[in-house]
Amino acid sequence: MEKLIVHGNAKLSGTVNISGSKNAALPILAATLLTREKCVIRRVPDVSDTNYMLQILQNLGAEVERASGTVTVKAETLNGAEAPYDLVRKMRASICVMGPLLARMKESIVSLPGGCVIGDRPVDLHLRGLEGLGATSKVEGGNMILSSPKGLRGQEIDLRGKHGTTVLGTDNVMMAAVLAKGTTIIEGAACEPEVVDLAQFLNKMGAKIQGAGTSHIEITGVKELGGVEHTVIPDRIEAGTFLIAGALAAGKSGITLRRVEPDHLTAVIEVLKSCGYPVERQGKTLTIGRASRPIGANITAEPYPHFPTDMQAQMCALFATTPGLSVVKDTIFPQRFMHCSEMKRMGADISVDDGTAVIRGVDRLSAAPVMASDLRASAALLLAALTAKGNTEIHRVYHIDRGYENIDDKLIGLGAEIERVQA
Ligand code: EPU
């Protein structure tokens, strides 16, 4: 197992290229199962989650090639409809093969993913949606078994849940409905840019989807889909993470992020500006500098277009040393605050209660050995360590490798001192 040693006192400058979006790439890779023809997908980030997804596709019988960010998948024949526990347990997002398998094979057997450290991760909305299209479901031996021997039928489906919309649930229903008979209407659909990217991919394959990016999506089923070439959207969460690195540690000239989609980052940019950080946009480029007198903020993570839950841990790292009081609430995953306990070990003044972190900024954090608990928590610890006093050791960095492409190398390119060593 590897650990990162992060030297504090970082002064960052220069330019960083943002990778393609992990959370857009994963369902798009799953959607390649919907056609026998070849799909070419560009800007697929080389992270362990996309590697797991490719293993699942290969396991199902698809031919997969990967060369510097471009993935080619040809799922001409599939040898089954089962995504086994060994692979699913490594990555929750494997659940998004359920919709495509059901549409193409009239059956899907996907191991129940179980809970995870960011909280309970139920699948009721996925099942509600797919059952709405006519599938039957049962749980047997830890697997969700869905079947629709006579094919799926379009229907009106409400996907709103207790915590709002569901991103992968919307993806699953969309991917199943594209080959269903008749028209499907999804109410309460997730509006995240990753859902829009998937809809665009499916439409290029020949699907008829309208309204992606709003809470009302209409899908007219078609008989078959064809091969396609597609470039994945930039990763807005990776970009947001680097914006916070800049807010924390940029030198006089700031840092510049290239190959981003600033429109996807509006909520994050607004918060950073309200805290006093200069953020400038020029086309697909963003530059952020230090604030002369940074102030805290009160933010709430909610479904898009609001502040993303996948950025709240990184925001906690920024607020840990921002003068005054900040409040971070997560309505989507109220238990997603493990990073706060670790940051407290670095001297942060944070109390967490009922899905809300109250943070009193301290002058400076100090290095400590800390443990990454999930993907975004590990990014938050890495950010916190950049300006801490001393050298911070971050253990269990495999979490960060699940979703950030070469994050240590990218930070080193901006001037940080980080070593990756065997723990
Ligand atoms: N929910 C249900 N029932 C369901 C599904 C979800 O109640 O059947 C609840 C969840 O418990 C949560 C809320 O609905 O409270 C939203 O969960 P959602 O289904 O939208 O999450 P997801 O689709 O499984 C994706 C991202 C997550 C991101 C969430 C929320 C991917 C691969 N994952 O997960 O990303 O946090 O949407 O935006 O797209 C990450 O990248 O670190 C990550 C965890």
Side-chain angles (χ1 to χ4, degrees), residues 101-355:
L101 284 175
L102 188 61
R104 173 147 171 201
M105 308 293 283
K106 298 187 164 46
E107 183 184 44
S108 84
I109 305 168
V110 177
S111 191
L112 259 172
C116 78
V117 74
I118 70 176
D120 189 21
R121 308 280 303 264
V123 293
D124 56 314
L125 298 172
H126 295 251
L127 296 180
R128 188 206 284 174
L130 297 172
E131 284 169 1
L133 297 178
T136 55
S137 78
K138 61 180 177 183
V139 174
E140 223 173 68
N143 292 321
M144 287 174 291
I145 305 177
L146 287 157
S147 73
S148 60
K150 292 189 180 145
L152 298 168
R153 282 193 174 274
Q155 190 57 262
E156 186 168 330
I157 287 160
D158 187 343
L159 277 185
R160 264 168 290 229
K162 193 168 81 178
H163 294 286
T165 51
T166 166
V167 176
L168 292 179
T170 303
D171 290 347
N172 253 331
V173 175
M174 218 159 58
M175 289 189 280
V178 286
L179 291 177
K181 277 206 188 93
T183 301
T184 298
I185 294 176
I186 308 178
E187 295 292 358
C191 305
E192 270 66 5
E194 294 76 17
V195 174
V196 179
D197 204 26
L198 173 65
Q200 276 169 1
F201 179 77
L202 292 167
N203 281 343
K204 284 191 209 165
M205 292 173 98
K208 292 192 173 147
I209 304 173
Q210 283 187 323
T214 74
S215 60
H216 175 99
I217 298 181
E218 277 190 40
I219 304 145
T220 307
V222 297
K223 280 227 159 61
E224 61 177 11
L225 298 172
V228 67
E229 293 200 12
H230 185 77
T231 301
V232 172
I233 55 170
D235 195 311
R236 65 192 167 106
I237 306 301
E238 188 201 13
T241 304
F242 275 97
L243 284 179
I244 294 183
L248 276 164
K252 265 201 190 119
S253 52
I255 64 164
T256 297
L257 282 56
R258 271 204 306 234
R259 307 179 76 186
V260 293
E261 182 42 80
D263 286 344
H264 295 167
L265 282 150
T266 305
V268 174
I269 293 170
E270 270 174 18
V271 169
L272 288 169
K273 281 186 171 169
S274 77
C275 294
Y277 297 95
V279 183
E280 276 166 33
R281 98 180 248 185
Q282 215 175 28
K284 303 290 176 199
T285 295
L286 283 172
T287 300
I288 183 161
R290 296 294 298 273
S292 46
R293 296 183 62 185
I295 53 170
N298 190 335
I299 61 169
T300 301
E302 289 175 282
Y304 192 82
H306 300 289
F307 195 89
T309 172
D310 291 343
M311 280 299 301
Q312 64 88 342
Q314 301 88 315
M315 240 21 236
C316 290
L318 177 62
F319 290 150
T321 53
T322 302
L325 196 71
S326 298
V327 179
V328 177
K329 182 172 181 186
D330 196 330
T331 62
I332 300 174
F333 294 117
Q335 295 166 44
R336 192 180 205 180
F337 284 100
M338 298 281 274
H339 45 280
C340 290
S341 322
E342 294 303 298
M343 281 192 258
K344 277 156 84 169
R345 300 189 59 256
M346 299 173 74
D349 181 349
I350 308 179
S351 60
V352 179
D353 190 23
D354 201 18

Side-chain angles (χ1 to χ4, degrees), residues 22-34:
K22 162 187 86 84
N23 287 350
L26 291 171
I28 285 174
L29 290 172
T32 61
L33 293 171
L34 287 163

Side-chain angles (χ1 to χ4, degrees), residues 386-418:
L386 287 176
T387 51
K389 183 167 185 289
N391 302 335
T392 302
E393 285 187 12
I394 306 177
H395 294 261
R396 298 197 183 163
V397 288
Y398 55 85
H399 284 295
I400 211 162
D401 298 331
R402 279 190 37 219
Y404 287 92
E405 192 172 53
N406 306 327
I407 190 166
D408 32 341
D409 288 340
K410 286 187 181 184
L411 283 167
I412 291 167
L414 292 171
E417 278 184 63
I418 303 172

